[in-house]
Amino acid sequence: MKICTLNELYVGERAVVKALDTKGAMRRRLLDIGLCCGARVECVSRSPLGDPSAYLIRGAVIAIRAADCRGVIVRRI
Amino acid sequence: MGLTANSTGARLIKIQTAERSQKNQKLIALAGNPNVGKSTVFNALTGLHQHTGNWAGKTVAAAVGEFSTQNYSYALADLPGTYSLLAHSAEEEAARNFICFARLEAVVVVCDATCLERGLNLVLQITEICPKTVVCVNLIDEAKRRGIEVDLKALEENLGVPVVGTNAHDKRTLKRLTRSLDELCGGTLSTKPRKLRYIRPIEDAISLIEPLLKERVNCPIPPRRTALALLDDDLEFTREIEKSAGMRLSEDSEISAAVKQARDLLLQNDITAEILKDRIVSCIMLNVEEALDGAVKRTDRRVSKADKILTSKIFGFPLMILMLLIVFWITIVGANYPSELLSRGLFWLGDRLGKLMTFLNAPEWLSGLLVDGAYRVLAWVVAVMLPPMAIFFPLFTLLEDLGYLPRVAYNLDKPFAKCKACGKQALTMCMGFGCNAAGIVGCRIIDSKRERLIAMLTNVFVPCNGRFPMIITIITLYFVSASGFAGSLLSALALTAVILLGVLTTFGVSRLLSATILKGEPSSFTLELPPFRKPQVGKILARSLLDRTVFVLGRAAAVAAPAGAVIWILANVTIGDMTLLSHITGFFDPFARFIGLDGVIFTAFLLGLPANEIVIPLIIMSYMQLGSLSELAPAQMFELFSANGWTPVTAVCVIIFTLMHFPCSTSLLTLKKEAGGWKWAALSFVLPTICGMISCAIITNLSKFFVG
């Protein structure tokens, strides 16, 4: 269960990005914010309605929707 | 048009020509990630006021400002905030083209000291193209406070370009930046930027093309970068390079052959076109990590306690509503007294003007038209509009500066996503509570055009400052009999219900729009939650008053005066034995009654197009057959309305129609400008009006059915 998608991380869990399984605009957005292979992320909070969640990525906290996180494959650490 | 290529591009071209006309000025560009205080640096350097806020993506079109040091005078272009120069969006493309082809003397890249990785990602891409770069590590104090130590010397060594630490709020720290610029432009300081290194196969592929380009292409772009653009099949960039070099690269057979050979080499290493893009990004990140090596010591950022509470399941929404209520309460209560003072002063001046007209022997109609009509309505609009705006906008800007607003978007994104809209619409909606026109301008922060249009078209469903007092007046007249604290609490609850209705309608109509004329899937949504920042009170006041209040007031006043003249004519010119106004109200009466209003109310809404604040005075004026706008005490108002057939059902319909009808002229003008066409303005006129009419018709006819 070490490999999962980003949206499956619980608050407080950390992971390393293994692959991006998205295309087009979302892929570029994810790369822009630093979510490329090898990047470390931590899920830091979930919004009151359960979506989106906030992730600590390279020093910045960024909210991403679960639907968009499904394309980010990570390995828990 | 907001964020489109058109507006950014056009503006940039203008800057380039402007630069050529002033040869002695040194053109430099200010680049950086969104929300790193770039605009603050810009303002501090140039003194030009530009709106800054604590959220990503604020600079919409590049602005240009000037400043001088002892040695040189500079023209500084503020580029749109970008994360990289790989040009995925219109802003990135604009920024990249500007850096590449504007013949810059130097580039200043602003980085956020608390988030250097992302900043350096951009820095390395920029220094690759323009070696004359100064890196400005901003917010260095804040980083220190959060346990992040940046060793500027080490960073400078790693990057090979000058690095200065600044706190843009503290002008003295900018001295270092201007000194570095002077040295760089004067040639007393040379740079040796860190080279971006890629993985072996990509390097090999580049080296197949690079020498050829060096030999044959005359262009300001380093051949290495051009080679990468060719490999990556970056058509836009290649086109720009070809334009600059004055030749078609693809028509050069040797270059094409080399590119093909290089691509084959990549394929042999399993690097397809799509993988190549990823590898490039990953490689740059690896370079960033190397560049940061030994330069940053940090204890990782934790989510602050305040953040945990503000976005928690239990407190998130109550706190948000509470915050909204407090803002309204301060606005409404605080505006009362200055409003009264202002109206007394302005009306006193109006009396004097009237006397002056008599003194000058002006004909009665002229004095009526100008003083009782145009001036009186203008004074009325200013008196009721200015104080609430002057209170609401600073409060709103305070929340914006603090960084609370992105949390609101974070909390509210889910329902908006369900409507296939953008969570940032929550912010523009909140701004709409102050003024719909300001809310519509605020929609620029939404990236996708479809979602931006949805946000603009539905903004009017939240009542603005101009409509609040009206809704409150009618609530207190018809539904709250208690007085004192209990009364104001009840009115507050009733008001909240009206607001919630507005918010729900926003969701409903957003959903409807994205299922019909603005069809589409929600675009990718990434929203940065910046750390809370200490707001700068002085700047907030200046900015919100100058940028927002004066802007909105100006647009309203421009329409109010002529509308005042028209109103006066309607109320004072008679045909047969009735005024024009009575003819009009009579004409609309049957239809208006069908939707629970009457001809007078409906006409008042129509004539209240310049500002909703004058709707109630217009109603009073019509009922009492007066020649100009007037006010009444609540008890008399209740009597007058009831004598003209108002029932509680009428009151409900008036409230609903206040909430849902055509936007004011200021909003319409703004929407036309922002959305780029009268078509959208027309839609924004029709859409809420239909919603309001249908709701009112249902309510009246149901109540007739049940009550009889």
Side-chain angles (χ1 to χ4, degrees):
Chain A
M1 285 316 285
K2 283 208 136 179
I3 301 285
C4 62
T5 54
L6 189 57
N7 59 305
E8 291 172 322
L9 288 187
Y10 288 103
V11 173
E13 277 190 314
R14 290 162 191 243
V16 175
V17 177
K18 295 316 285 178
L20 289 185
D21 186 22
T22 55
K23 280 209 160 58
M26 192 60 213
R27 184 187 192 86
R28 297 195 299 258
R29 286 293 286 153
L30 293 175
L31 291 175
D32 276 348
I33 57 174
L35 263 187
C36 56
C37 285
R40 292 156 73 94
V41 290
E42 180 186 339
C43 178
V44 287
S45 97
R46 242 183 255 304
S47 87
L49 296 172
D51 190 31
S53 301
Y55 299 91
L56 180 66
I57 302 161
R58 299 189 193 275
V61 175
I62 292 164
I64 313 176
R65 286 178 181 161
D68 297 326
C69 288
R70 272 187 207 113
V72 182
I73 296 146
V74 298
R75 183 168 52 80
R76 287 194 176 96
I77 46 172
Chain B
M1 287 293 286
L3 292 160
T4 61
N6 232 343
S7 61
T8 32
R11 186 70 209 265
L12 288 178
I13 290 163
K14 264 188 223 149
I15 295 169
Q16 290 185 34
T17 22
E19 182 258 338
R20 271 180 211 122
S21 68
Q22 277 180 300
K23 277 261 153 61
N24 54 345
Q25 242 181 5
K26 299 205 176 280
L27 182 65
I28 48 181
L30 189 67
N33 292 163
N35 200 41
V36 292
K38 207 159 57 67
S39 297
T40 323
V41 173
F42 182 76
N43 288 343
L45 279 175
T46 62
L48 208 157
H49 278 285
Q50 230 213 346
H51 201 94
T52 56
N54 195 4
W55 64 39
K58 210 62 206 298
T59 308
V60 189
V64 71
E66 294 168 5
F67 70 96
S68 300
T69 61
Q70 280 174 338
N71 302 350
Y72 303 105
S73 94
Y74 294 96
L76 182 67
D78 187 14
L79 300 185
T82 53
Y83 292 108
S84 94
L85 291 187
L86 297 171
H88 303 309
S89 62
E91 295 92 74
E92 280 182 20
E93 206 177 296
R96 187 200 58 199
N97 287 349
F98 194 71
I99 291 172
C100 288
F101 304 110
R103 291 198 205 115
L104 299 170
E105 291 284 339
V107 182
V108 176
V109 193
V110 184
C111 299
D112 181 345
T114 63
C115 180
L116 264 180
E117 283 106 326
R118 274 197 313 177
L120 290 193
N121 178 38
L122 184 66
V123 168
L124 289 180
Q125 291 182 46
I126 289 177
T127 52
E128 188 181 33
I129 298 167
C130 177
K132 279 189 171 182
T133 295
V134 182
V135 176
C136 167
V137 180
N138 196 23
L139 303 172
I140 200 125
D141 274 357
E142 190 176 310
K144 220 172 260 168
R145 227 179 16 225
R146 293 205 273 129
I148 301 166
E149 294 278 342
V150 184
D151 183 345
L152 297 171
K153 269 258 142 33
L155 192 60
E156 191 167 292
E157 210 140 282
N158 287 355
L159 290 174
V161 295
V163 176
V164 293
T166 57
N167 292 301
H169 302 328
D170 181 0
K171 276 202 173 181
R172 282 165 303 174
T173 59
L174 290 173
K175 278 256 162 64
R176 291 176 218 141
L177 175 62
T178 49
R179 202 188 311 136
S180 290
L181 271 177
D182 276 356
E183 287 171 0
L184 211 54
C185 292
T188 51
L189 191 73
S190 60
T191 58
K192 198 169 173 296
R194 180 188 192 85
K195 207 167 139 194
L196 267 175
R197 278 193 210 88
Y198 301 95
I199 46 173
R200 193 60 193 276
I202 300 181
E203 286 290 346
D204 289 346
I206 290 174
S207 59
L208 282 176
I209 314 172
E210 194 186 349
L212 266 177
L213 294 174
K214 206 176 268 174
E215 200 174 289
R216 289 162 185 246
V217 183
N218 177 24
C219 173
I221 310 301
R224 193 176 151 77
R225 184 69 188 84
T226 309
L228 203 65
L230 288 172
L231 275 179
D232 190 22
D233 208 16
D234 185 343
L235 294 177
E236 291 287 338
F237 194 28
T238 313
R239 204 173 309 139
E240 291 294 329
I241 294 171
E242 286 174 341
K243 230 190 282 168
S244 154
M247 65 179 284
R248 303 262 311 159
L249 297 181
S250 53
E251 278 167 16
D252 185 311
S253 58
E254 276 186 62
I255 293 177
S256 322
V259 172
K260 191 171 177 310
Q261 199 188 346
R263 285 210 187 121
D264 287 341
L265 180 75
L266 288 175
L267 277 178
Q268 281 163 26
N269 288 284
D270 293 324
I271 299 178
T272 59
E274 185 70 9
I275 293 175
L276 178 68
K277 280 191 207 309
D278 275 18
R279 290 285 182 273
I280 292 172
V281 175
S282 300
C283 285
I284 296 173
M285 272 301 170
L286 283 177
N287 280 278
V288 167
E289 273 158 31
E290 281 169 26
L292 272 175
D293 191 38
V296 176
K297 261 184 262 152
R298 70 190 309 164
T299 43
D300 231 351
R301 175 178 166 194
R302 307 303 321 171
V303 172
S304 68
K305 272 218 180 77
D307 233 346
K308 280 204 173 127
I309 296 169
L310 287 173
T311 59
S312 74
K313 262 204 168 80
I314 306 168
F315 298 113
F317 283 100
L319 279 175
M320 215 161 61
I321 293 168
L322 189 72
M323 203 84 83
L324 204 64
L325 277 180
I326 292 174
V327 169
F328 291 146
W329 187 79
I330 296 178
T331 307
I332 291 165
V333 172
N336 268 341
Y337 184 68
S339 253
E340 212 182 297
L341 215 65
L342 204 58
S343 75
R344 225 181 284 160
L346 288 172
F347 289 145
W348 176 85
L349 190 67
D351 284 347
R352 295 302 94 124
L353 279 176
K355 291 237 167 74
L356 183 70
M357 293 298 253
T358 330
F359 177 74
L360 290 176
N361 273 332
E364 208 171 305
W365 65 268
L366 185 67
S367 149
L369 188 71
L370 293 182
V371 181
D372 293 340
Y375 178 79
R376 196 171 166 81
V377 170
L378 179 65
W380 201 294
V381 169
V382 171
V384 288
M385 212 166 175
L386 182 60
M389 277 201 307
I391 299 174
F392 179 87
F393 282 141
L395 287 177
F396 192 83
T397 315
L398 181 84
L399 289 181
E400 184 181 331
D401 221 41
L402 200 66
Y404 179 62
L405 295 186
R407 272 77 183 176
V408 172
Y410 178 60
N411 287 346
L412 281 177
D413 178 59
K414 194 171 179 179
F416 281 105
K418 278 245 159 31
C419 304
K420 299 185 193 260
C422 177
K424 289 180 196 164
Q425 195 178 332
L427 304 179
T428 61
M429 195 173 76
C430 288
M431 213 190 252
F433 283 119
C435 169
N436 294 127
I440 290 167
V441 175
C443 291
R444 291 174 180 180
I445 57 168
I446 298 170
D447 298 314
S448 134
K449 178 152 196 216
R450 187 186 71 85
E451 289 162 12
R452 195 162 63 238
L453 280 170
I454 292 178
M456 287 195 276
L457 290 172
T458 55
N459 195 275
V460 69
F461 287 107
V462 292
C464 64
N465 265 329
R467 291 183 277 163
F468 266 116
M470 186 173 168
I471 296 174
I472 293 169
T473 307
I474 294 169
I475 287 175
T476 40
L477 281 187
Y478 277 86
F479 302 105
V480 181
S481 49
S483 60
F485 182 72
S488 65
L489 195 71
L490 269 176
S491 334
L493 280 178
L495 185 63
T496 314
V498 174
I499 294 170
L500 281 180
L501 179 69
V503 173
L504 287 178
T505 318
T506 302
F507 285 131
V509 175
S510 299
R511 185 70 189 83
L512 185 78
L513 283 173
S514 44
T516 51
I517 44 171
L518 289 168
K519 228 180 224 156
E521 283 305 303
S523 72
S524 51
F525 172 82
T526 53
L527 174 77
E528 185 164 358
L529 302 178
F532 288 105
R533 271 181 206 162
K534 198 175 91 194
Q536 305 162 266
V537 178
K539 278 217 173 123
I540 288 178
L541 280 175
R543 255 162 35 204
S544 51
L545 289 181
L546 290 175
D547 295 1
R548 286 179 175 158
T549 314
V550 172
F551 161 79
V552 172
L553 199 68
R555 274 200 182 169
V559 187
V566 170
I567 291 169
W568 187 85
I569 292 172
L570 291 180
N572 290 280
V573 174
T574 48
I575 294 181
D577 55 351
M578 286 201 301
T579 60
L580 278 175
L581 187 63
S582 307
H583 281 291
I584 296 174
T585 56
F587 172 76
F588 282 123
D589 205 57
F591 169 72
R593 292 215 181 263
F594 176 71
I595 58 170
L597 310 173
D598 65 24
V600 167
I601 305 172
F602 189 75
T603 312
F605 272 108
L606 281 180
L607 292 177
L609 187 73
N612 282 285
E613 284 91 339
I614 60 170
V615 170
I616 285 197
L618 273 168
I619 295 176
I620 296 173
M621 173 182 106
S622 306
Y623 281 150
M624 295 179 74
Q625 305 272 335
L626 298 173
S628 61
L629 296 188
S630 33
E631 253 180 330
L632 279 181
Q636 289 159 304
M637 211 193 295
F638 182 76
E639 232 165 76
L640 179 70
F641 288 179
S642 300
N644 280 283
W646 282 45
T647 62
V649 178
T650 319
V652 169
C653 287
V654 172
I655 291 174
I656 302 266
F657 202 68
T658 309
L659 188 66
M660 299 177 211
H661 69 283
F662 39 83
C664 68
S665 54
T666 314
S667 303
L668 284 171
L669 284 176
T670 309
L671 198 128
K672 185 238 147 195
K673 202 167 158 230
E674 295 292 317
W678 282 112
K679 168 176 86 167
W680 296 113
L683 185 62
S684 84
F685 187 95
V686 172
L687 195 68
T689 313
I690 289 180
C691 289
M693 284 179 176
I694 292 176
S695 315
C696 289
I698 292 175
I699 291 170
T700 346
N701 292 303
L702 274 185
S703 76
K704 270 188 201 146
F705 182 75
F706 284 111
V707 185

